[in-house]
Amino acid sequence: MLDQFTIATKGGIVLWSKAYAPITHRPVDSLVQDVLIQSTRLDSSSSSKYHAGTYSLQWTFANELNVIFIAVYQKILQLPYLEDLLHHVKKHFVTRFEQEIKLLVDSECTVFPDFSDFEQEFEQVWRAVEDRETKERISGRQGGVPRKFEDTKKFQTTAKGAKLELEELAQSSEMDLGRKTGGKMRSWNERGIAASDDSKGVTAASKKGKKGKKAKENRVWDGQVTKESMKALDFSSEKDSEHEGGSHAIASLVDERARGERTADGIYEVADVAERSVSGDSDSFVLLGDSALDNKEDSNDRAASGGGIFGIFKSLTSGRVLTADVLAEPMARMREHLANKNVAADVAEEICQTVARGMIGVRVGGLQNIRRLVEQSMETALTRILTPVSSTDIIRDIEQAQLQHRPYTMAFVGVNGVGKSTNLSKVCYWLLQNNKRVLIAACDTFRSGAVEQLRVHVRNLRALSESNQNVEIFERGYGKDSATIAKDAIAFGAANSFDVVLIDTAGRMQDNEPLMRALAKLVSVNSPDKILFVGEALVGNEAVDQLEKFNQALRDFSGQSKPRHIDGIILTKFDTIDDRVGAALSMTYTTGQPIIFVGTGQTYTDLRKMNVSQVIRALLRV
């Protein structure tokens, strides 16, 4: 635990200081007297240590600005992350206040700059460094508790290690064989006892007229499929929900931490995607890069290529009025930065033009002004792109359909393996939380196991809903016409007072013309209220190509004067892409349709909404 952290110039001016405990005997003054004044090692930029009474001090320099960063802590403590903390605090402080620090040496400077708002950023840096060090220690990559000799590979080469390994292998073999044969291995003594018991049983049975003689059982060979093994692997029957531990398995399908909230009107809304991290603020705070501060040209190059968007504008903080010519080079670097975030070229161009228009004619005096201008301009551009042209209030649309005495229909389309059935079940769970009766139409009559997968989802959702009758499945098996099944499902839903019909379709590649014609037929015959394209976030701009070709196929093969198109997007596996959110921007920009939901996990509550501020933070991130 730190007792104090101080940032000062070599001339003795304290720029910022924070004390976490009462400090006695002034250890910082001792450091200045014994080291900074008397020592000649002032050109060292690496961290050094100094002891003063019960305190230890560790410090580092930013030589180009003549600033020293000092950490004070109790001598008895071991803080392995301290050198990393000093490095990152120096990086953040210099990046944020470089111009203000330079003004201090200006003879015309009459106002002392205000560094007090650095406290929050310091706390975030400290927490992030501590968390990273803890994770590295636990994983054994750095510093932590040394491994026992028994856990090393060298121990396995000893006689004792080899013996233990053989015992473990033998034990695991017994367990595997026991699972295959349905029982456990017996020793020769146990077999002898069993044999004697069997002989006694035979003798007793013979006395009763040999009526108790047991027929010989067939041998079960390894790998042979029996009726018993097939029955044990059948998870589609209703009996599985009655097994012991069934309630625990069902409960594991819902992450209570990821639940949404109810509005004042009682409507259940999914959580925002920016709130998906539940491990603290440090997870959303990103440390600046580790590039050296001493080489400014190298540092600027790295910042421009991938070190964060604000490093691009460092050269613009001289106080001059910004013009189009001055912004040309930073905008080119900004386009490159956005391309690294998977933003399509035309989308990146529009964002850069919007940012440039917001900055032309502005006189800036520091990096903080630049940061504010860039954030505001990007928010304007992204709001324009992400603002939907159609309604995203599905609950309101469902209520409008109820007034017309018909079910609201939603079709889920997309390529193979993106998670259409899984995210359909998540949407179904969201609808059940809003007290809607849902009918799932199993229109994937091509993929083996597709209908069984939906059966399992329906059984789970029934167990999770307050009323078991709120969700049902409509199926007609395999090899049938999917358009006809969807039509029958909608008619069944209308006759049985279902509020929503969710249509699950087969996955198909965007270049497969026969399957795309079949999809266009399903849409033309049934005219669903919402056609949702389900795409993977991790494939980048490949999802944009898929979306464009699905839209093109619906137009070309519909045979209608006013063909339908994709009405919304569900972006799956969003938790796997880190800050590369460019595909989400590109898909919305290409079609003009909104991203309704994003999938962030495997449970039914892992369905989120995406907002503009979250996208901005991801694009500005280092």
Side-chain angles (χ1 to χ4, degrees):
M1 180 66 184
L2 286 178
D3 287 2
Q4 183 180 8
F5 198 99
T6 299
I7 303 175
T9 66
K10 291 182 181 179
I13 302 175
V14 177
L15 305 180
W16 180 87
S17 183
K18 176 70 174 178
Y20 296 92
I23 302 295
T24 58
H25 305 299
R26 298 184 177 179
V28 175
D29 292 348
S30 300
L31 172 68
V32 174
Q33 178 67 29
D34 297 342
V35 179
L36 299 187
I37 296 179
Q38 299 180 7
S39 177
T40 59
R41 297 185 301 110
L42 297 183
D43 57 343
S44 175
S45 61
S46 60
S47 60
S48 305
K49 291 183 179 180
Y50 171 77
H51 300 291
T54 60
Y55 296 102
S56 289
L57 292 83
Q58 198 161 335
W59 74 92
T60 187
F61 290 110
N63 286 323
E64 72 283 0
L65 298 175
N66 288 324
V67 176
I68 182 173
F69 300 80
I70 307 170
V72 183
Y73 60 99
Q74 294 291 330
K75 188 188 297 185
I76 60 174
L77 297 179
Q78 297 291 330
L79 303 179
Y81 63 84
L82 204 53
E83 186 170 350
D84 198 26
L85 175 65
L86 287 166
H87 169 76
H88 283 98
V89 170
K90 176 176 68 172
K91 181 71 174 176
H92 280 260
F93 189 82
V94 171
T95 301
R96 184 170 179 178
F97 298 110
E98 181 176 7
Q99 296 301 317
E100 288 81 352
I101 297 172
K102 289 180 177 179
L103 287 175
L104 288 175
V105 300
D106 191 346
S107 59
E108 298 180 358
C109 180
T110 58
V111 180
F112 188 81
D114 182 17
F115 302 98
S116 59
D117 58 346
F118 182 67
E119 180 173 344
Q120 182 180 0
E121 186 169 350
F122 173 79
E123 296 288 347
Q124 292 176 319
V125 172
W126 186 10
R127 194 179 303 116
V129 170
E130 272 190 329
D131 290 348
R132 185 169 71 176
E133 190 274 334
T134 301
K135 292 176 182 178
E136 290 178 347
R137 185 175 68 249
I138 293 175
S139 62
R141 290 180 293 176
Q142 172 181 329
V145 179
R147 291 182 299 169
K148 296 180 181 180
F149 178 65
E150 290 78 3
D151 298 333
T152 62
K153 291 184 178 181
K154 190 172 182 180
F155 173 74
Q156 299 177 4
T157 62
T158 63
K160 185 178 179 180
K163 183 179 178 181
L164 288 175
E165 188 176 5
L166 288 174
E167 291 177 355
E168 291 176 357
L169 289 173
Q171 185 178 1
S172 62
S173 299
E174 288 184 11
M175 293 176 65
D176 292 340
L177 185 56
R179 281 194 293 266
K180 291 177 181 178
T181 59
K184 64 177 183 179
M185 295 186 67
R186 297 181 295 175
S187 64
W188 288 109
N189 292 334
E190 291 174 336
R191 293 184 181 182
I193 295 172
S196 63
D197 291 341
D198 290 343
S199 63
K200 291 178 182 179
V202 172
T203 304
S206 62
K207 293 179 180 180
K208 296 180 181 180
K210 298 183 180 180
K211 293 182 180 180
K213 187 174 181 180
K214 188 177 181 181
K216 183 178 180 181
E217 295 182 357
N218 295 330
R219 182 186 294 275
V220 179
W221 299 96
D222 292 345
Q224 181 179 351
V225 179
T226 63
K227 290 183 178 180
E228 289 76 10
S229 62
M230 292 177 64
K231 190 175 181 180
L233 293 172
D234 182 11
F235 295 100
S236 61
S237 60
E238 297 292 337
K239 65 181 178 60
D240 293 317
S241 60
E242 303 174 357
H243 286 173
E244 286 188 24
S247 59
H248 174 73
I250 293 297
S252 65
L253 297 175
V254 174
D255 187 357
E256 295 295 336
R257 300 173 302 174
R259 280 188 180 274
E261 296 181 351
R262 294 195 178 274
T263 63
D265 300 331
I267 298 176
Y268 174 82
E269 292 189 350
V270 298
D272 191 89
V273 70
E275 301 169 3
R276 70 178 185 272
S277 175
V278 294
S279 57
D281 295 337
S282 61
D283 288 347
S284 60
F285 181 80
V286 181
L287 295 171
L288 292 179
D290 296 332
S291 58
L293 289 173
D294 295 331
N295 190 342
K296 285 196 63 178
E297 293 182 359
D298 179 64
S299 177
N300 288 336
D301 290 342
R302 294 186 187 183
S305 61
I309 221 169
F310 297 115
I312 297 172
F313 300 96
K314 273 189 174 182
S315 61
L316 305 181
T317 58
S318 60
R320 56 183 172 180
V321 177
L322 300 179
T323 63
D325 294 336
V326 172
L327 290 171
E329 183 179 355
M331 288 300 108
R333 294 184 177 181
M334 185 175 178
R335 277 190 288 271
E336 182 181 352
H337 175 88
L338 294 174
N340 291 333
K341 303 288 186 179
N342 280 344
V343 180
D346 50 352
V347 183
E349 180 64 28
E350 177 168 341
I351 293 175
C352 290
Q353 289 179 0
T354 304
V355 173
R357 284 195 298 267
M359 298 176 66
I360 291 177
V362 176
R363 183 187 298 275
V364 293
L367 193 60
Q368 291 305 301
N369 293 335
I370 290 290
R371 179 189 294 265
R372 187 162 48 252
L373 282 172
V374 173
E375 287 179 346
Q376 291 174 352
S377 301
M378 289 192 69
E379 183 174 3
T380 301
L382 296 179
T383 301
R384 185 185 304 115
I385 294 173
L386 295 176
T387 298
V389 296
S390 60
S391 172
T392 59
D393 192 347
I394 296 178
I395 298 298
R396 186 190 63 182
D397 294 342
I398 293 173
E399 293 173 351
Q400 290 293 329
Q402 288 175 330
L403 295 177
Q404 302 172 12
H405 305 288
R406 67 174 181 85
Y408 185 83
T409 55
M410 302 170 64
F412 294 73
V413 303
V415 301
N416 308 77
V418 295
K420 290 184 298 299
S421 300
T422 301
N423 284 273
L424 179 147
S425 65
K426 293 179 185 180
V427 173
C428 181
Y429 177 81
W430 169 65
L431 293 171
L432 292 175
Q433 296 303 303
N434 285 291
N435 300 318
K436 305 300 181 185
R437 291 195 69 208
V438 183
L439 179 67
I440 298 179
C443 296
D444 185 354
T445 62
F446 181 77
R447 176 172 64 89
S448 299
V451 177
E452 288 77 9
Q453 181 184 8
L454 290 178
R455 285 180 192 163
V456 174
H457 281 307
V458 168
R459 187 178 71 242
N460 293 341
L461 291 168
R462 280 180 176 176
L464 291 170
S465 64
E466 297 179 357
S467 173
N468 290 338
Q469 304 304 319
N470 279 349
V471 55
E472 293 184 17
I473 183 173
F474 186 91
E475 57 171 296
R476 288 291 183 265
Y478 295 97
K480 309 292 177 56
D481 180 42
S482 58
T484 303
I485 296 176
K487 183 177 181 180
D488 294 342
I490 295 173
F492 179 86
N496 292 273
S497 302
F498 280 93
D499 300 319
V500 185
V501 176
L502 303 180
I503 303 173
D504 182 40
T505 64
R508 65 204 76 209
M509 296 307 296
Q510 64 270 26
D511 297 321
N512 191 323
E513 182 175 330
L515 292 181
M516 296 305 294
R517 286 182 178 274
L519 178 62
K521 176 186 175 182
L522 184 149
V523 171
S524 300
V525 170
N526 298 283
S527 186
D529 295 288
K530 270 282 196 261
I531 304 175
L532 298 180
F533 176 82
V534 184
E536 282 183 331
L538 55 85
V539 298
N541 288 307
E542 170 65 17
V544 180
D545 177 68
Q546 297 169 1
L547 180 57
E548 288 178 335
K549 291 185 176 178
F550 266 76
N551 251 339
Q552 186 67 35
L554 292 179
R555 289 194 296 266
D556 294 345
F557 304 139
S558 67
Q560 297 178 338
S561 58
K562 294 182 178 180
R564 293 290 304 277
H565 53 74
I566 301 297
D567 299 312
I569 303 166
I570 295 180
L571 210 53
T572 68
K573 307 174 187 178
F574 199 76
D575 53 325
T576 65
I577 61 170
D578 193 26
D579 57 354
R580 297 180 179 273
V581 298
L585 271 179
S586 302
M587 294 172 73
T588 304
Y589 181 82
T590 300
T591 62
Q593 301 303 327
I595 296 176
I596 307 293
F597 297 112
V598 295
T600 59
Q602 293 296 315
T603 68
Y604 291 123
T605 52
D606 288 324
L607 195 69
R608 305 298 176 92
K609 295 183 299 183
M610 188 170 64
N611 60 19
V612 176
S613 60
Q614 191 272 341
V615 176
I616 292 174
R617 287 196 297 272
L619 292 178
L620 298 182
R621 195 169 297 160
V622 176

